[in-house]
Amino acid sequence: MRSERDHVAGLYARLDAERARVRGEYKASLRGDGESLVERDVQVRALAREVRRLDVVDNGLCFGRLEAESGQHSYIGRIGLFDADDDYEPLLLDWRAPAARPFYVATGAHPEGVRTRRQFRTRNREVLAFTDEHLGGPGGDEEGDAALLAAVNAPRGGEMRDIVATIQAEQDEIIRLEHQGVLVIEGGPGTGKTVVALHRVAYLLYTRRERMERHGVLVVGPNPAFLTHIGRVLPSLGETDVVFMTPGDLVPGLQVTAEDAPEVARAKGSLRMLDVLAAAVADRQRLPAEPLPIELSDAAVRIDADTAEWARQEARDTGLPHNEARATFIEIVTYVLTERAITRIGRGWLGKEDVAAREQLRRDLRAELAEKPEFAAALAELWPVLTPQELLADLYTSPERLRAAGADAALLRTDGAAWTVSDVPLLDELVDLLGRDKLAERAAKQAAERERKAEQEYAAGVLEIMEVERHDMMDDEDHLLAQDLVGADDLADRFVEHDTRSLAERAAADRDWTYRHVVVDEAQELSEMDWRVLVRRCPARSFTVVGDLAQRRSAAGATSWGSMLDRYVPGRWQYRPLSVNYRTPAEIMAIAGSLLAEFAPEVTAPESVRSCGVPPWSRRVTDEELPAAVAEFTRAEADREGTCVVIGPPDVPGAVPASETKGLEYDAVLVVDPDRILADGPRGAAELYVALTRATQRLGVLHREPLPRALSGLVELDGPVPAGSAQ
């Protein structure tokens, strides 16, 4: 034990030295000695990323050792460390390195050249104990299982833990799969599909870093609580260039405040909405019911339906998005009005041969038109500049516009801007349908250029002052001129704020950012329209898709993986199932499995690897007894190590809906009124299945009505929960 403690202490000393070296380089790069600002920003970001990577691996830096049949041994850890004094010999193997793979896949039948696998139990920087598995020898399996069972039986905290020390062979195969396209990982509750997907991201970043780190990785989860729960895993593995979002975050700056009813979510999630949105945009490209008059200084003109129709068709024929095609619409209308005005104004004095006079008159008329408020108002009425939010909010609040777009009447609502998760893919689609206002962008660019020119002129003035002062002070002809050190352009850069945000911060704020890889968790909940958003974010079509079709609750979600993926990667996605339940004890899974057999008989429940020895219970209470019974549960669990949750309908004090616990796990779970959860919509059974499978140790059920038949296996209590029954 002493030798192992000494070796691990040496690894921490090497980590500290490496950390000090990188921090020193980071501080030096901030000074930017002799470097351009761009070079400095690149170096600062790279070193900041390395500092973060080294700062998060203290806990459990080294978790195992392999002894080969030849007698050689190697240590396995979160990152790789090398001996700077010995030709950079490896002191610690990164768990993702090929040489570390036997730590996860070697068995007695297939030892992979390994004699002994040692797993450390650590606290902070100290080795507390270790277990050895002698591959091929008696008792090896029992010793190997000990580390896994210790991990899965440990009390849960608020955040998901990585499984880097206890990855199982089934999981390791998926993590290291070399398939570069779409990989679907499906597994029932507790199979570790989420944490396997995150370890796969860490593996891909390790093996394909140059291709992936410039664009980063996007992880999409069902809700903020879930993202908080999983947010520690990748940093603990030394990876930080990852953006975490919910489906509601995919349009930057949007505030999602509500959730649609199932029938509305189903309508919005269908690809039929593509036609609705296109029709809604076309409906805003109007023809005047009556000619729109515009009074010029020397003539009156008007925009009639024929002129607007010609301009509209020319604009549509460009194939450009609405806001960008508007320039063509304006150009045609302007052309017609100015030619008509020239004809009226020039009657009797302006001949065809007066080219210069005609051209000058044309320029004057165009300038006058551009300044006319009624002309601007007419253009805003016939071909307005639109934002996605404006168009969609106007559509939702107008029965007439909904009918014109061929939309489902169920989309009508009072507050058009009360955005829901189902609105996000529609708004994202409208970004491309509407495009940008090129005229406004051109004006902004010109303003930026004027500002840049002013900065250069200011910088040149500073240089001139410096030169005058140099002449006043110079007594040595060998002194360098100020402009030998810095030019006006370079000096102007000093007054410009450069973007020093991390990759994750820049990507999260940029709707047009594209990622090298995307992880989609609880993917069974995503609609057809949701998938369009995600594919747009990852042109390389590199996805890890995680889900369980049996847990789908969304009316617009997937009924099969092919129905969502074949449109984008036909025949090019791979499927890998996980069948072992590491979270839910066998006693609890037996209850959940009975429910699963009723609503999804074609699905096989995952097999639990352990029992907890505590039978799940139920207790019938009255309306008056319910609050006290809930309080009794939470009070008892507060005295135990670990986490707990109450899951039930909205009117149950202290309860959260099952949908908010998806992907999460707790030591103890209390489910209230399971009959009402079952009755809540067409996917109520899936909701209850999710609720029952969140517990890692203890499960209780309170009910005011008779228990659903599928829960008949619960031990029914006649009175309060006896002390110790939930131990």
Side-chain angles (χ1 to χ4, degrees):
M1 174 69 74
R2 180 180 296 276
S3 64
E4 295 292 30
R5 285 176 175 166
D6 290 345
H7 185 84
V8 171
L11 292 175
Y12 277 108
R14 181 72 191 97
L15 174 67
D16 291 340
E18 182 68 8
R19 186 180 288 155
R21 180 189 67 81
V22 174
R23 283 178 174 167
E25 292 183 2
Y26 175 70
K27 290 179 181 178
S29 70
L30 288 176
R31 292 193 296 269
D33 299 338
E35 297 174 347
S36 72
L37 288 173
V38 174
E39 290 172 337
R40 187 189 68 181
D41 286 350
V42 170
Q43 187 174 31
V44 165
R45 286 196 183 106
L47 289 169
R49 184 166 52 245
E50 184 67 6
V51 169
R52 291 193 299 269
R53 187 179 78 91
L54 295 173
D55 280 346
V56 296
V57 296
D58 258 52
N59 189 24
L61 171 66
C62 175
F63 50 78
R65 191 186 85 162
L66 289 176
E67 182 181 349
E69 293 173 349
S70 64
Q72 292 182 331
H73 59 265
S74 54
Y75 289 83
I76 315 299
R78 296 180 178 279
I79 63 171
L81 289 176
F82 302 89
D83 188 346
D85 299 326
D86 189 12
D87 293 330
Y88 283 88
E89 282 293 312
L91 298 174
L92 185 66
L93 286 177
D94 191 301
W95 67 274
R96 296 163 289 191
R101 189 177 188 192
F103 186 79
Y104 301 110
V105 301
T107 64
H110 301 283
E112 303 285 335
V114 176
R115 177 187 297 165
T116 304
R117 174 168 44 211
R118 175 169 292 177
Q119 292 178 290
F120 297 123
R121 184 163 64 87
T122 62
R123 181 177 59 222
N124 298 324
R125 292 188 167 204
E126 183 183 1
V127 176
L128 302 178
F130 60 76
T131 59
D132 282 346
E133 183 181 4
H134 303 286
L135 300 180
D141 288 343
E142 288 79 0
E143 290 179 345
D145 288 343
L148 172 64
L149 292 176
V152 298
N153 281 318
R156 264 48 179 181
E159 298 176 328
M160 177 180 283
R161 296 168 294 190
D162 62 67
I163 59 169
V164 64
T166 57
I167 293 171
Q168 301 301 291
E170 176 188 49
Q171 299 170 328
D172 186 79
E173 179 185 355
I174 295 173
I175 290 169
R176 298 177 191 264
L177 192 66
E178 289 300 320
H179 178 63
Q180 297 190 24
V182 177
L183 173 66
V184 176
I185 305 174
E186 182 166 29
T191 54
K193 52 188 178 292
T194 296
V195 74
V196 167
L198 295 176
H199 283 67
R200 173 168 169 76
V201 168
Y203 176 77
L204 293 175
L205 284 166
Y206 177 80
T207 57
R208 307 174 191 171
R209 187 166 302 281
E210 288 187 5
R211 283 182 289 171
M212 295 186 68
E213 70 178 358
R214 283 182 298 173
H215 292 273
V217 173
L218 173 64
V219 176
V220 179
N223 53 58
F226 175 82
L227 295 181
T228 299
H229 179 61
I230 69 171
R232 175 185 170 275
V233 173
L234 282 167
S236 75
L237 299 173
E239 302 298 345
T240 56
D241 285 339
V242 179
V243 179
F244 293 89
M245 290 186 180
T246 69
D249 299 328
L250 290 168
V251 172
L254 190 72
Q255 294 297 317
V256 173
T257 59
E259 184 172 335
D260 284 312
E263 65 274 12
V264 178
R266 184 185 297 110
K268 291 181 180 179
S270 168
L271 290 179
R272 184 176 170 274
M273 284 301 299
L274 295 175
D275 294 332
V276 171
L277 295 177
V281 173
D283 184 52
R284 302 300 294 272
Q285 300 163 358
R286 314 300 292 268
L287 303 180
E290 298 291 337
L292 302 175
I294 300 169
E295 293 290 335
L296 299 174
S297 299
D298 299 314
V301 292
R302 61 182 191 172
I303 305 174
D304 54 31
D306 288 342
T307 298
E309 186 173 19
W310 176 32
R312 181 174 72 174
Q313 193 58 50
E314 290 289 333
R316 289 176 174 177
D317 287 347
T318 65
L320 294 172
H322 170 87
N323 289 333
E324 296 172 30
R326 186 174 188 263
T328 299
F329 180 85
I330 295 173
E331 182 62 32
I332 296 297
V333 172
T334 300
Y335 168 78
V336 171
L337 297 188
T338 54
E339 292 305 310
R340 288 176 179 172
I342 288 171
T343 299
R344 293 171 186 173
I345 295 171
R347 186 177 293 121
W349 67 270
L350 187 64
K352 292 183 179 180
E353 66 280 2
D354 299 322
V355 175
R358 182 180 292 273
E359 191 57 38
Q360 182 60 51
L361 181 57
R362 181 178 289 110
R363 285 196 295 268
D364 293 343
L365 287 170
R366 289 175 69 92
E368 186 180 0
L369 264 179
E371 293 177 356
K372 284 290 183 180
E374 57 266 39
F375 184 58
L379 295 176
E381 177 184 342
L382 301 178
W383 196 292
V385 175
L386 296 171
T387 68
Q389 287 87 343
E390 289 169 344
L391 185 138
L392 204 56
D394 289 347
L395 179 67
Y396 287 155
T397 55
S398 170
E400 295 78 14
R401 284 182 171 147
L402 285 172
R403 282 195 297 272
D408 193 316
L411 271 56
L412 182 67
R413 67 190 189 203
T414 303
D415 185 354
W419 304 117
T420 70
V421 175
S422 303
D423 291 328
V424 171
L426 309 185
L427 291 168
D428 191 72
E429 194 74 34
L430 284 169
V431 171
D432 287 346
L433 284 176
L434 295 177
R436 292 162 171 80
D437 183 357
K438 292 294 187 180
L439 296 177
E441 286 188 352
R442 187 180 302 119
K445 184 178 180 180
Q446 291 170 348
E449 289 175 350
R450 288 193 298 270
E451 182 178 356
R452 172 66 178 177
K453 185 176 180 180
E455 288 167 352
Q456 289 176 338
E457 291 174 351
Y458 174 75
V462 172
L463 286 175
E464 183 176 349
I465 294 172
M466 291 169 63
E467 177 63 8
V468 171
E469 292 178 348
R470 187 194 69 81
H471 278 293
D472 291 341
M473 300 174 62
M474 187 177 64
D475 57 7
D476 185 347
E477 293 183 357
D478 292 332
H479 279 88
L480 293 174
L481 294 178
Q483 53 262 42
D484 291 331
L485 298 174
V486 62
D489 287 349
D490 292 331
L491 189 59
D493 280 339
R494 306 290 174 89
F495 301 100
V496 179
E497 290 189 7
H498 286 262
D499 190 347
T500 58
R501 295 174 298 170
S502 68
L503 179 144
E505 291 170 331
R506 287 180 289 130
D510 186 354
R511 182 263 175 187
D512 294 325
W513 190 279
T514 58
Y515 298 87
R516 192 69 182 88
H517 189 78
V518 176
V519 177
V520 189
D521 211 327
E522 300 294 341
Q524 72 277 356
E525 306 297 344
L526 300 186
S527 69
E528 293 174 319
M529 290 297 294
D530 287 324
W531 275 105
R532 284 182 62 86
V533 180
L534 295 176
V535 170
R536 195 176 287 125
R537 299 296 190 277
C538 187
R541 306 290 198 270
S542 180
F543 284 82
T544 298
V545 179
V546 183
D548 179 11
L549 295 176
Q551 295 186 58
R552 176 178 66 87
R553 64 180 288 272
S554 170
T559 55
S560 71
W561 299 118
S563 65
M564 296 297 178
L565 299 176
D566 285 342
R567 181 181 305 275
Y568 306 107
V569 284
R572 295 190 290 115
W573 57 276
Q574 293 192 15
Y575 175 86
R576 291 292 186 275
L578 289 170
S579 58
V580 179
N581 189 330
Y582 300 98
R583 177 178 69 214
T584 317
E587 297 91 338
I588 296 176
M589 200 62 216
I591 303 299
S594 296
L595 175 64
L596 181 67
E598 283 196 359
F599 79 91
E602 72 284 359
V603 178
T604 301
E607 182 178 355
S608 298
V609 299
R610 66 188 178 96
S611 298
C612 64
V614 181
W617 54 268
S618 64
R619 174 184 164 198
R620 188 165 186 175
V621 295
T622 64
D623 291 346
E624 293 74 19
E625 294 170 333
L626 178 62
V630 172
E632 176 191 349
F633 166 82
T634 55
R635 188 167 53 249
E637 289 300 331
D639 295 332
R640 300 186 175 94
E641 186 179 5
T643 58
C644 69
V645 69
V646 178
I647 301 175
D651 60 344
V652 175
V656 300
S659 59
E660 292 187 10
T661 66
K662 297 200 75 171
L664 307 182
E665 55 184 27
Y666 306 87
D667 292 271
V669 172
L670 180 68
V671 179
V672 181
D673 288 343
D675 56 300
R676 291 176 61 193
I677 297 176
L678 272 176
D680 185 19
R683 300 299 300 174
E687 290 274 85
L688 182 56
Y689 182 60
V690 169
L692 296 174
T693 54
R694 299 306 95 193
T696 66
Q697 301 291 345
R698 302 174 291 278
L699 172 67
V701 174
L702 295 177
H703 58 106
R704 288 177 280 187
E705 298 297 329
L707 276 177
R709 181 182 59 185
L711 305 188
S712 60
L714 293 166
V715 176
E716 182 74 19
L717 303 179
D718 294 329
V721 180
S725 69
Q727 297 289 340

